[in-house]
PDB file of all heavy atoms in Angstrom:
ATOM      1  N   GLU A 118      -2.564   0.378 -12.662  1.00  0.00           N
ATOM      2  CA  GLU A 118      -2.753  -1.019 -13.021  1.00  0.00           C
ATOM      3  C   GLU A 118      -3.517  -1.746 -11.938  1.00  0.00           C
ATOM      4  O   GLU A 118      -3.163  -1.675 -10.759  1.00  0.00           O
ATOM      5  CB  GLU A 118      -1.388  -1.689 -13.241  1.00  0.00           C
ATOM      6  CG  GLU A 118      -0.677  -1.093 -14.428  1.00  0.00           C
ATOM      7  CD  GLU A 118       0.253  -2.074 -15.068  1.00  0.00           C
ATOM      8  OE1 GLU A 118       0.178  -3.272 -14.759  1.00  0.00           O
ATOM      9  OE2 GLU A 118       1.077  -1.630 -15.870  1.00  0.00           O
ATOM     10  N   PRO A 119      -4.580  -2.495 -12.334  1.00  0.00           N
ATOM     11  CA  PRO A 119      -5.433  -3.168 -11.351  1.00  0.00           C
ATOM     12  C   PRO A 119      -4.694  -4.151 -10.435  1.00  0.00           C
ATOM     13  O   PRO A 119      -5.052  -4.313  -9.300  1.00  0.00           O
ATOM     14  CB  PRO A 119      -6.463  -3.903 -12.214  1.00  0.00           C
ATOM     15  CG  PRO A 119      -6.453  -3.195 -13.515  1.00  0.00           C
ATOM     16  CD  PRO A 119      -5.076  -2.642 -13.682  1.00  0.00           C
ATOM     17  N   HIS A 120      -3.640  -4.788 -10.922  1.00  0.00           N
ATOM     18  CA  HIS A 120      -2.972  -5.796 -10.089  1.00  0.00           C
ATOM     19  C   HIS A 120      -2.253  -5.185  -8.884  1.00  0.00           C
ATOM     20  O   HIS A 120      -1.870  -5.912  -7.982  1.00  0.00           O
ATOM     21  CB  HIS A 120      -2.000  -6.639 -10.926  1.00  0.00           C
ATOM     22  CG  HIS A 120      -0.787  -5.898 -11.378  1.00  0.00           C
ATOM     23  ND1 HIS A 120      -0.760  -5.178 -12.551  1.00  0.00           N
ATOM     24  CD2 HIS A 120       0.435  -5.765 -10.818  1.00  0.00           C
ATOM     25  CE1 HIS A 120       0.436  -4.634 -12.693  1.00  0.00           C
ATOM     26  NE2 HIS A 120       1.174  -4.965 -11.656  1.00  0.00           N
ATOM     27  N   THR A 121      -2.056  -3.883  -8.872  1.00  0.00           N
ATOM     28  CA  THR A 121      -1.392  -3.262  -7.731  1.00  0.00           C
ATOM     29  C   THR A 121      -2.378  -2.913  -6.612  1.00  0.00           C
ATOM     30  O   THR A 121      -1.974  -2.445  -5.574  1.00  0.00           O
ATOM     31  CB  THR A 121      -0.645  -1.993  -8.157  1.00  0.00           C
ATOM     32  OG1 THR A 121      -1.583  -1.036  -8.645  1.00  0.00           O
ATOM     33  CG2 THR A 121       0.390  -2.280  -9.211  1.00  0.00           C
ATOM     34  N   VAL A 122      -3.667  -3.144  -6.832  1.00  0.00           N
ATOM     35  CA  VAL A 122      -4.694  -2.775  -5.875  1.00  0.00           C
ATOM     36  C   VAL A 122      -5.152  -4.001  -5.105  1.00  0.00           C
ATOM     37  O   VAL A 122      -5.460  -5.025  -5.689  1.00  0.00           O
ATOM     38  CB  VAL A 122      -5.921  -2.163  -6.602  1.00  0.00           C
ATOM     39  CG1 VAL A 122      -7.005  -1.819  -5.614  1.00  0.00           C
ATOM     40  CG2 VAL A 122      -5.516  -0.969  -7.383  1.00  0.00           C
ATOM     41  N   GLU A 123      -5.175  -3.878  -3.807  1.00  0.00           N
ATOM     42  CA  GLU A 123      -5.794  -4.915  -2.979  1.00  0.00           C
ATOM     43  C   GLU A 123      -7.205  -4.432  -2.702  1.00  0.00           C
ATOM     44  O   GLU A 123      -7.474  -3.779  -1.698  1.00  0.00           O
ATOM     45  CB  GLU A 123      -5.014  -5.122  -1.698  1.00  0.00           C
ATOM     46  CG  GLU A 123      -3.654  -5.749  -1.913  1.00  0.00           C
ATOM     47  CD  GLU A 123      -2.927  -5.932  -0.602  1.00  0.00           C
ATOM     48  OE1 GLU A 123      -3.566  -6.077   0.447  1.00  0.00           O
ATOM     49  OE2 GLU A 123      -1.701  -5.909  -0.643  1.00  0.00           O
ATOM     50  N   ALA A 124      -8.101  -4.698  -3.631  1.00  0.00           N
ATOM     51  CA  ALA A 124      -9.474  -4.203  -3.516  1.00  0.00           C
ATOM     52  C   ALA A 124     -10.186  -4.902  -2.358  1.00  0.00           C
ATOM     53  O   ALA A 124      -9.920  -6.073  -2.067  1.00  0.00           O
ATOM     54  CB  ALA A 124     -10.228  -4.450  -4.816  1.00  0.00           C
ATOM     55  N   PRO A 125     -11.073  -4.193  -1.712  1.00  0.00           N
ATOM     56  CA  PRO A 125     -11.849  -4.828  -0.640  1.00  0.00           C
ATOM     57  C   PRO A 125     -12.808  -5.863  -1.224  1.00  0.00           C
ATOM     58  O   PRO A 125     -13.157  -5.816  -2.396  1.00  0.00           O
ATOM     59  CB  PRO A 125     -12.617  -3.659  -0.022  1.00  0.00           C
ATOM     60  CG  PRO A 125     -12.688  -2.627  -1.097  1.00  0.00           C
ATOM     61  CD  PRO A 125     -11.442  -2.798  -1.914  1.00  0.00           C
ATOM     62  N   ILE A 126     -13.233  -6.798  -0.398  1.00  0.00           N
ATOM     63  CA  ILE A 126     -14.275  -7.753  -0.803  1.00  0.00           C
ATOM     64  C   ILE A 126     -15.593  -7.034  -0.650  1.00  0.00           C
ATOM     65  O   ILE A 126     -15.905  -6.490   0.407  1.00  0.00           O
ATOM     66  CB  ILE A 126     -14.233  -9.022   0.076  1.00  0.00           C
ATOM     67  CG1 ILE A 126     -12.905  -9.751  -0.110  1.00  0.00           C
ATOM     68  CG2 ILE A 126     -15.407  -9.933  -0.261  1.00  0.00           C
ATOM     69  CD1 ILE A 126     -12.688 -10.887   0.869  1.00  0.00           C
ATOM     70  N   VAL A 127     -16.377  -7.021  -1.703  1.00  0.00           N
ATOM     71  CA  VAL A 127     -17.653  -6.317  -1.710  1.00  0.00           C
ATOM     72  C   VAL A 127     -18.752  -7.284  -1.291  1.00  0.00           C
ATOM     73  O   VAL A 127     -18.946  -8.316  -1.917  1.00  0.00           O
ATOM     74  CB  VAL A 127     -17.973  -5.747  -3.099  1.00  0.00           C
ATOM     75  CG1 VAL A 127     -19.330  -5.048  -3.099  1.00  0.00           C
ATOM     76  CG2 VAL A 127     -16.881  -4.800  -3.554  1.00  0.00           C
ATOM     77  N   GLU A 128     -19.452  -6.933  -0.215  1.00  0.00           N
ATOM     78  CA  GLU A 128     -20.621  -7.704   0.214  1.00  0.00           C
ATOM     79  C   GLU A 128     -21.864  -6.926  -0.199  1.00  0.00           C
ATOM     80  O   GLU A 128     -22.008  -5.747   0.137  1.00  0.00           O
ATOM     81  CB  GLU A 128     -20.633  -7.903   1.734  1.00  0.00           C
ATOM     82  CG  GLU A 128     -21.873  -8.623   2.216  1.00  0.00           C
ATOM     83  CD  GLU A 128     -21.998  -8.664   3.736  1.00  0.00           C
ATOM     84  OE1 GLU A 128     -21.081  -8.176   4.434  1.00  0.00           O
ATOM     85  OE2 GLU A 128     -23.024  -9.154   4.217  1.00  0.00           O
ATOM     86  N   VAL A 129     -22.751  -7.579  -0.933  1.00  0.00           N
ATOM     87  CA  VAL A 129     -24.027  -6.998  -1.324  1.00  0.00           C
ATOM     88  C   VAL A 129     -25.074  -7.720  -0.476  1.00  0.00           C
ATOM     89  O   VAL A 129     -25.365  -8.889  -0.716  1.00  0.00           O
ATOM     90  CB  VAL A 129     -24.296  -7.189  -2.826  1.00  0.00           C
ATOM     91  CG1 VAL A 129     -25.649  -6.579  -3.207  1.00  0.00           C
ATOM     92  CG2 VAL A 129     -23.173  -6.599  -3.669  1.00  0.00           C
ATOM     93  N   GLN A 130     -25.583  -7.022   0.520  1.00  0.00           N
ATOM     94  CA  GLN A 130     -26.514  -7.642   1.454  1.00  0.00           C
ATOM     95  C   GLN A 130     -27.954  -7.368   1.044  1.00  0.00           C
ATOM     96  O   GLN A 130     -28.371  -6.219   0.929  1.00  0.00           O
ATOM     97  CB  GLN A 130     -26.291  -7.146   2.879  1.00  0.00           C
ATOM     98  CG  GLN A 130     -27.200  -7.849   3.877  1.00  0.00           C
ATOM     99  CD  GLN A 130     -27.097  -7.262   5.259  1.00  0.00           C
ATOM    100  OE1 GLN A 130     -26.934  -6.076   5.425  1.00  0.00           O
ATOM    101  NE2 GLN A 130     -27.221  -8.109   6.251  1.00  0.00           N
TER     102      GLN A 130
END
Side-chain angles (χ1 to χ4, degrees):
E118 295 207 14
H120 71 272
T121 63
V122 178
E123 291 180 28
I126 297 171
V127 179
E128 176 188 357
V129 180
Q130 183 186 36

